[in-house]
Amino acid sequence: RQAPLVAEWNRTLAEARQGARQMQLLVDVLARWQRIPEARADLVPLQDLLVPVALEQGKWTVALPVLRDALARQATPTEQQARLRWLLQAAEQALAEGNKGEALRAGQDGLTFAPKGSLLIGPFEQVVRRAGSCEDGTNKLDKDVNLRDFNLILQCFTQQVV
């Protein structure tokens, strides 16, 4: 088990303010350990180290797949809450970079995984609303639903007429 050694190096790099090297270390170790069945048990703690480092670097594209994997696993309420906060941060970074599709998906994931009554539901709903809005101020999601409804009605009508 080498996870404590990796965590120690991660701490050392963090103290030296070497965020890029810290992220590179964690990404490389995770990639290698995923291929070793005996090392898979140590992946979750390393994923939880990688996500905040990636988000500090503005690398939400690195954090999101790891977060989605981590959110799907059993976790304590405290761990789940931290992961949801990271997911919200990643969604906001994606939105800030203009990637509305990923922001929308991350916001929807947040709504799926957030427990009822969570204080994060409101911020996730805001991300979904902002990511789903068009430049003209209308909501893209409403337009998509209306188009789907129209196509469904049209399909039903044409089947009845024929």
Side-chain angles (χ1 to χ4, degrees):
R1 300 239 177 213
Q2 298 296 320
L5 180 61
V6 174
E8 183 180 331
W9 270 103
N10 180 59
R11 227 178 353 270
T12 300
L13 291 169
E15 290 168 0
R17 301 198 189 284
Q18 296 288 320
R21 287 186 178 177
Q22 194 179 0
M23 192 168 79
Q24 181 182 3
L25 168 73
L26 295 170
V27 167
D28 288 350
V29 170
L30 279 169
R32 290 178 188 184
W33 286 10
Q34 284 175 339
R35 291 180 260 150
I36 304 169
E38 302 84 42
R40 289 198 180 133
D42 292 328
L43 289 178
V44 175
L46 291 182
Q47 288 174 328
D48 287 344
L49 291 175
L50 172 62
V51 170
V53 171
L55 293 172
E56 283 176 23
Q57 299 291 312
K59 305 291 186 188
W60 60 269
T61 55
V62 172
L64 269 178
V66 175
L67 271 170
R68 287 186 176 116
D69 183 50
L71 282 166
R73 290 196 180 120
Q74 190 84 13
T76 67
T78 303
E79 292 168 334
Q80 192 75 346
Q81 188 72 5
R83 291 171 184 164
L84 286 167
R85 279 194 304 275
W86 293 332
L87 182 64
L88 180 61
Q89 188 178 351
E92 289 171 342
Q93 286 182 10
L95 195 56
E97 285 187 14
N99 194 327
K100 288 186 171 188
E102 279 297 325
L104 178 62
R105 187 171 165 217
Q108 290 168 334
D109 288 345
L111 291 172
T112 299
F113 287 106
K116 288 186 187 232
S118 171
L119 296 176
L120 294 174
I121 290 174
F124 278 120
E125 287 174 340
Q126 287 178 337
V127 167
V128 168
R129 240 186 329 277
R130 288 178 20 223
S133 67
C134 298
E135 290 177 15
D136 63 4
T138 59
N139 193 305
K140 178 181 180 234
L141 297 175
D142 292 340
K143 287 181 178 180
D144 290 345
V145 169
N146 291 337
L147 183 59
R148 273 187 264 135
D149 290 346
F150 176 76
N151 286 335
L152 183 61
I153 292 167
L154 183 62
Q155 185 180 23
C156 290
F157 179 73
T158 55
Q159 286 177 354
Q160 288 177 352
V161 171
V162 175

